[in-house]
Amino acid sequence: MLLSLVLRLLCFCALLHAREKKGDPEVSIHTLDHAVSNLFYFEDSDIVLIHDREAGKVLRSDDAGVNWAVVDDIPKGAAWELWQHPHDHKVAYVLGGEEQHWVTSDRGESWTKFKTEAPPSVFRSPPLSWHAKDSDKVLFHGQKCTGLFSCQEITYYTKDGFKNTEEMRKDTRGCTFAHSTPLFEGGDEDTVVCVVLGRYSPWPHDQRLVVSDNYFKKETEPYLEGHRTVQGIINIAPVKGFIVAAAKAEGTKELAMYVTRDTSTWHRAVFPNDHKLEEDAYTLLESTNYSIQVDVLTTAPSNPMGVLFNSNSNGTYFTRNIPHTNRNFRGLVDFEKIQGVQGIYLVNVVDNWEEVEKLRKDKKVQSKISFDDGRNFSPLKLKDDKEEDDKEDKKELHLHSVTDMSNVGRVFSSPAPGLALGIGNTGDYLKAYEEGDLWVSDDAGVSWKLALEEAHKYEFGDQGSILVAIYDEGDTDQIRYSLNHGTDWKTFELDKKVRAKVLTTVPDSTTLKFILLATAGKGSKTEHLVISIDFNNLHERKCDDKDFEKWVARLDDQGDPDCLMGHKQFYTRRKADSDCFVKEKFREPEAKFERCTCNKEDFECDYNFRKSEDGEKCEPTSVLAKPENVCKDGDKTFMGSSGFRLIPGDKCDPKGGLDLDKEIERPCNQTQEPSVSGEISHEATSFKADRFHESFYFERTETSTGKDETIIMRTSEQKIYRTVDHGKTWDHVLKGQDITAIYPNNYFNDWVYFLTGGKKVFYSRNRGEDIQEFDAPTEATHDRLQVLSFHADYPDWFIWTGADKCEKGNEKCHSVAYLTTDRGDHWQTLLRYVRKCEFIKKEGRGDSEKLVYCEQYKDEDLAQPLQLVSSDNWFADKEVRFSSVVDFATMSEFIIVAAKDQQDEKSLKVDASVDGKTFADAEFPKNLHVPQKAYTVLDSSTHAVFLHVTVGNREDFEYGSIVKSNSNGTSYVLSLDGVNRNTPGYVDFEKTLGIEGAALVNVVDNIEGAEQGQKKKLKTLISHNDGAEWAPLQAPSEDTDGNPWECDVDHPEKCSLHLHGYTERKDPRDTFSSPTAVGLMMGVGNVGEHLGEKVDEDSIFTFLSTDGGKLWRAVMKGNFMWEYGDQGSIIVIVQEKAATDVVYYSLDEGQSWTPYKFTNQKMQIESISTVPSDNSRNFLLWGRVASSGSEISTVNLDFTGLKERSKQCEFDSEHPESEDHDYYLWKPSHPLSKDDCLFGHVAKYIRKKPKANCYNGRKMTHLNEITHNCSCTRQDYECDYNYERGTDGSCQLVSGLPPPDHSLQCKENPEQTHYYLPTGYRRIPLTTCEGGKEFDIAEDKSCPGHEADWEKEKASHGLSGFWLFVLVVLLPVGLAGSVGYWVYTHWDGGMRVGSIRLGSGADSGGAFDADRPWIKYPVAALAGTVAVVAAVPLLVRSLWRSVTGRGGGGGRYSGLGDGNRAYTTRNSFARRRGEYASVDPDEDELLGEDDEEDERERV
């Protein structure tokens, strides 16, 4: 018996010794050739793939990283990208850089090659979109380029895993399956949602959202905003059970978010009024099955902070969760949910947010946690403080989060139930990462304890049975691990010291195997290591039932299980002190639930309801839908929605709980639209001032929130007034401040700056609603120059031109250019002794966003010539472009420079560039023998520059010739002689807005007499083919009383219509036409041989055209000013230069007119205005009561109450030619054309029927379709270089000149394959005609070196019809919807506008000069204006994704170069990807010396 006892003791000791001698983890190290670009596990397996992008190869391990082998099925160097199928854990793809790719369906054991018709698109990441329910269905985003000017994004689809691939749709900008997430329930199985190009536009602001159920054999464009489609869609993204689309309009960074759960019904997401979404300023976060969570940037990007919002279950209404969230400049937000536990997430907030926002202090970040889905937040507590909440000295924990990630995957948690790890510190605020320690929580964040000192990378294994960590502040050879939830830690050593880059394991954290990516050594001796760590050698037993506990996922304030979404949540998990491993490989813990009775938190506001201010009720947001058979026979109430509904997916038990969604009794008047008055209303406001000095409309774009119609106005007394209701009421803002100038940002509608007499500058980012301030580096320049110059892409970037050494009497006074990139927080000096500086970078022009051009005096000496200098590094280096310039301007894709001719200092030369680098001299027609002393750049909207060259320069008798350039602005042909110009340099030339290529001019008919001092006799001419041919304006047959004119209108050479043009216009914004009232034109003039005087009351009439200027009719006798409203459905006119109390309005395109009396005291009206888009039903009169000498007044005219404009028009986009709606399709045409062809094609525009009693509402895209191309005719051609139009209309060689050498085209354009021998004609750039009489085609010749290319091109018949249309038509068509808008937004009502004037001209004040001639917001497409939408071919930028990844020994960050982590989509939707070079409106400006200002000021 004693022996038995001894043996038992020996066995027990041996057992103890055996337990102490358990083996160390098994470690294997593999050396790689390069840093890892991507690594992922196939879920539920030990199989891992590594992508070495630098070598173009993929490595595979089937034993969790112990052994590695190169995938032989993929040729060496061919693997460009590696992607894992997100829903099928056996499928992965290797994409090549061209058309050859590979797919595996067995976790990489074998790979099948497949080909696509195009290489992957460099603009889509990933270039694949997957179906969540059928892994064989995949979308492939390709990019096909057939030449420099013809690249397209094309999406292909496969239904059999790339065994077969078919083209789905061209011109896509991203597509997704509706069922791209398992939670999406709407749509058909094959429904696809795409962002595509606009119908006839390559620009992002015209992109559309389309849906198809059959891979685009048929597609629909869903209504997103009421009963209208929306343009400007820039991105779509699936989020849980939602699909979200973002739209952006021109002139704003604000985005509209649209949400759907079925792809057919979309709603705009509504945020609280004090927050709005902005491009690159919001982040879609990890959301729940029943809501979307978004963080919205609320501060400057230099110190980013945000507000966290949570939506209701249909994603339409968002409520604020917590303010002052911590963000970084990339849009990442410190936000993460605890995985596997509903309702718990951690955020970091900025405690000193006021100091950060106002004083630019460093952030003091604190960590907060919510246990109830964001309704309440609390600090992170330590375990010791868990039961000591009443202690004042209790410690709080703060953890580094997403903005400072040190590993891949989630930051804090894993599928291990309740376990969380993080790096941070205790105290008041979060310290630097290197000052942090490793902390652990095993109760889902309720309490935390110190795990390890110093910062470590960490990972979870075996459902939390083991925690692994490695030192992350430098090199180490130790790996730490814990088997009891981080209470105790053990150490084992590696054979060498390494610098950890990534520590990871299988996605479900259920195994005992880990992979460590690390480097060893420094510099050229750096080794890239993949280390496999296997803890199976610890030989722990497998856990049995007694080793597990029932763990409650959430506890309420009393420590009881908490309810969320109608249930309590539990897990069965291993106890912390159990000496065993779970060893349920690839089996994730499963949550268990218990139902709760329904309470208030289980309900949300029903559709069309939103929370009241106190959050207690749900109030209607619009008229309620009326159920059938209610509110009849005098009923006053009906049973309707309570405003609440049970949150979809909520599992609460209604028995014994609240029943908030029970119907309640509601008044019947809640189902009725508010009644309209049926009448026009008016509101007058008076101001104590001598005059209106300047004013600006700040019009909301299509994606802007709110309903305001904001105007900001400055009086002659330097007082600022603001109205948000179009002048019904005005507020005096910036009281006590003398404002010397208002500067709107000419690229962003909501931004405005207010200058004072000193350094203080006030500004607003929201149309004047909130006004902030900064200090400029100096006072504004004293040289009457442009003070602020803005960047087209970054509203926080601008250049300040300030005064230096400008004390009274100081002869060294000069201007200095300063730069800020953070909205005035910090400044740096660009250049001294400047006249002006501009940012050059725009899409399609310039290769650096930092490219700046400046005019600077040589050697910083005011007596020296002005040089044009440039720099792309803020003038750390600079390049002298021209040694002596008069001025320069950016316009559309061109940069135009007026430089002094080095051969003749008294003469000027014009140089042009389309890339900001290379300039070329302008070549003028040889028969244009004039000294080059004065030019006016008129327009560049149709891919050609119209330039007015002054021929007669005698003061008050000026005239000149209009020449038109080729596509790079260097070679000009004569368009028209004798065009009228005034002394300041402005020209009677105006493009017709909204339709293609029409223009009006006034020419001097008595040139010889004018040169002798006779009064100029002017005639109005019109061109319908972009200046190729000009003809008199056809006069109507009778006047307003039905009387014939004194001359015969059948002989237009002696009897035609003449209109007063730009040089006589009091308000440059009174354009003949409107961009939204397509086809409508108005003007004031007379019928006769020549243009008469405006003061001639007997002959002056106001005329109107409804067909783009072909036919006109007299609509009112006298001189009237006009405005178009509601896209032309309302026209209002008021008499000019006369005391009046009446306006006239027309609701049927001028067929009838109705007077409206707006005052009891007659007023002298100086101007009538409305929003720049002409899309409002409100108008504003500016003037003064005739009897008042010290007051000025505005009168608002509101037509919204008018019965005929109380119902919105209906348009059936699927059946546009149907008679059953309020619109029709209109086709413009050339007067000499026998069909409806214009510029070689038939275009159809959407126009409201004149007799339809409704309003247009949301701005429409009027160009509906191009039906077909036409045969070429004479109207599709203009005279070539060195040719001129003869008396018979033919193009004849100028006497004594040789024909042009067309072979030079090959040298100018190295990519060009061929040219034609000259015929005297060249195609108008706009035309798309095909066949017919091709006047420009004679014998063709191939360009040297391109003989084979030309033969191949002839065989392929050239470009496709679409891309031909893109290149020559859609670009100027895009101008139609935007130019008129810029007429207002780029003109301040009083400044000198209208042209890029090159040359000295005269110094007398002009009719449009203001008291601040240095301001330059242009009026687009007017005489003497530069059009604002560039017409450049669609070019593809070579945006290859760079190979990233952090090698060497430095840094603690992840080494995965392309960031393909298990959880990487925090900001992928919030930030736009690369796109084709789109063209934004350019800044136009005056060129030339300063004129004296005129005292006349206009609104």
Side-chain angles (χ1 to χ4, degrees), residues 65-91:
V66 176
N67 297 288
W68 295 89
V70 175
V71 175
D72 294 329
D73 293 336
I74 301 171
K76 184 178 180 180
W80 177 245
E81 290 185 328
L82 172 65
W83 295 99
Q84 183 181 20
H85 197 296
H87 308 295
D88 190 326
H89 303 147
K90 296 182 179 180
V91 178

Side-chain angles (χ1 to χ4, degrees), residues 1212-1367:
D1212 186 351
S1213 59
E1214 296 297 317
H1215 306 91
E1217 302 205 41
S1218 170
E1219 294 293 328
D1220 298 330
H1221 54 78
D1222 298 307
Y1223 295 88
Y1224 72 101
L1225 297 182
W1226 172 68
K1227 295 178 286 188
S1229 61
H1230 194 286
L1232 301 181
S1233 174
K1234 297 180 181 179
D1235 48 27
D1236 292 317
C1237 290
L1238 184 63
F1239 296 110
H1241 54 267
V1242 176
K1244 292 184 178 181
Y1245 291 82
I1246 303 169
R1247 290 179 64 170
K1248 176 183 165 293
K1249 296 174 182 176
K1251 296 299 183 180
N1253 286 325
C1254 55
Y1255 68 91
N1256 285 300
R1258 184 181 176 86
K1259 193 162 61 176
M1260 302 181 68
T1261 300
H1262 290 278
L1263 179 59
N1264 184 69
E1265 67 171 325
I1266 303 296
T1267 59
H1268 63 274
N1269 288 334
C1270 306
S1271 297
C1272 296
T1273 66
R1274 174 65 179 85
Q1275 281 72 46
D1276 296 298
Y1277 296 88
E1278 60 191 3
C1279 292
D1280 201 355
Y1281 184 67
N1282 281 359
Y1283 289 81
E1284 62 183 356
R1285 185 180 173 87
T1287 55
D1288 61 352
S1290 65
C1291 294
Q1292 303 171 0
L1293 186 67
V1294 175
S1295 178
L1297 296 180
D1301 183 0
H1302 283 188
S1303 67
L1304 295 177
Q1305 298 172 8
C1306 301
K1307 295 181 179 179
E1308 296 173 357
N1309 303 289
E1311 298 294 324
Q1312 187 165 318
T1313 60
H1314 67 285
Y1315 65 94
Y1316 293 102
L1317 296 179
T1319 65
Y1321 297 86
R1322 69 180 187 185
R1323 284 173 66 101
I1324 297 171
L1326 283 177
T1327 189
T1328 61
C1329 70
E1330 298 173 337
K1333 191 166 180 58
E1334 296 178 300
F1335 284 74
D1336 63 330
I1337 293 182
E1339 182 181 354
D1340 62 80
K1341 297 286 186 180
S1342 61
C1343 287
H1346 288 283
E1347 291 80 0
D1349 295 335
W1350 173 224
E1351 292 300 323
K1352 182 178 179 181
E1353 192 172 322
K1354 286 193 290 185
S1356 64
H1357 305 290
L1359 292 174
S1360 68
F1362 173 83
W1363 285 104
L1364 181 64
F1365 180 71
V1366 166
L1367 295 179

Side-chain angles (χ1 to χ4, degrees), residues 52 104 148 182 192 276 405 438 501 518 536 568 637 671 687 759 900 916 1127 1207 1291 1341 1390 1404:
D52 181 346
T104 179
L148 182 62
V192 177
K276 60 183 180 180
M405 288 184 67
L438 179 62
K501 297 296 180 181
N536 280 294
K568 302 170 186 176
T637 62
T671 68
F687 306 88
K759 295 182 181 180
K900 292 186 177 180
Q1127 304 178 56
K1207 177 179 72 75
C1291 294
K1341 297 286 186 180
S1404 60

Side-chain angles (χ1 to χ4, degrees), residues 1177-1192:
R1177 286 174 286 166
N1178 279 263
F1179 301 81
L1180 198 60
L1181 303 175
W1182 306 77
R1184 66 177 68 242
V1185 176
S1187 60
S1188 173
S1190 60
E1191 289 188 346
I1192 52 179

Side-chain angles (χ1 to χ4, degrees), residues 392-606:
E392 295 183 2
D393 61 346
K394 64 180 182 294
K395 295 180 180 179
E396 295 179 1
L397 178 64
H398 312 288
L399 299 175
H400 290 270
S401 186
V402 177
T403 61
D404 196 19
M405 288 184 67
S406 61
N407 204 4
V408 295
R410 289 181 173 270
V411 179
F412 302 115
S413 61
S414 79
L419 286 174
L421 290 165
I423 305 298
N425 58 271
T426 59
D428 294 328
Y429 308 109
L430 182 63
K431 299 177 183 178
Y433 182 86
E434 291 74 15
E435 296 183 57
D437 302 314
L438 179 62
W439 298 80
V440 64
S441 171
D442 64 355
D443 51 14
V446 174
S447 62
W448 298 76
K449 64 183 178 183
L450 180 65
L452 291 171
E453 293 183 350
E454 309 294 348
H456 289 70
K457 293 188 189 298
Y458 48 84
E459 190 53 274
F460 307 81
D462 194 49
Q463 298 187 27
S465 300
I466 184 169
L467 308 179
V468 181
I470 184 169
Y471 179 68
D472 197 25
E473 296 182 28
D475 292 351
T476 184
D477 59 0
Q478 294 185 343
I479 293 180
R480 311 290 300 274
Y481 63 94
S482 173
L483 304 179
N484 56 0
H485 291 187
T487 301
D488 302 301
W489 292 81
K490 297 181 180 181
T491 304
F492 72 92
E493 294 186 355
L494 301 172
D495 293 337
K496 61 172 71 177
K497 286 195 173 186
V498 299
R499 184 65 172 93
K501 297 296 180 181
V502 171
L503 178 62
T504 187
T505 185
V506 294
D508 56 17
S509 296
T510 58
T511 76
L512 292 163
K513 298 178 181 180
F514 300 81
I515 288 179
L516 172 66
L517 296 181
T519 59
K522 303 287 185 181
S524 60
K525 296 183 179 180
T526 299
E527 294 180 294
H528 300 280
L529 308 176
V530 54
I531 303 173
S532 172
I533 307 168
D534 186 353
F535 286 90
N536 280 294
N537 280 358
L538 297 186
H539 301 301
E540 291 283 354
R541 64 181 176 84
K542 179 176 172 59
C543 298
D544 54 30
D545 292 344
K546 68 177 183 300
D547 295 303
F548 292 92
E549 63 181 353
K550 181 180 180 181
W551 178 74
V552 181
R554 285 183 314 277
L555 299 175
D556 60 21
D557 294 339
Q558 288 72 41
D560 298 324
D562 192 24
C563 293
L564 185 68
M565 288 296 289
H567 55 243
K568 302 170 186 176
Q569 187 179 14
F570 303 89
Y571 278 99
T572 299
R573 72 174 188 181
R574 169 189 172 275
K575 297 175 183 177
D577 56 357
S578 294
D579 56 349
C580 61
F581 284 145
V582 177
K583 293 186 178 180
E584 293 288 345
K585 197 174 181 180
F586 313 129
R587 181 180 174 184
E588 292 187 41
E590 294 184 5
K592 296 180 175 60
F593 301 96
E594 293 181 6
R595 289 183 74 186
C596 306
T597 56
C598 296
N599 57 40
K600 184 179 178 181
E601 283 71 28
D602 297 304
F603 296 88
E604 65 177 4
C605 289
D606 204 350

Side-chain angles (χ1 to χ4, degrees), residues 84 185 588 598 625 648 676 983 1055 1164 1197 1322 1369 1387 1415 1465:
Q84 183 181 20
E185 298 176 351
E588 292 187 41
C598 296
V676 296
T983 299
C1055 184
Q1164 184 88 28
L1197 304 175
R1322 69 180 187 185
V1369 176
W1387 188 74
I1415 300 180
T1465 59

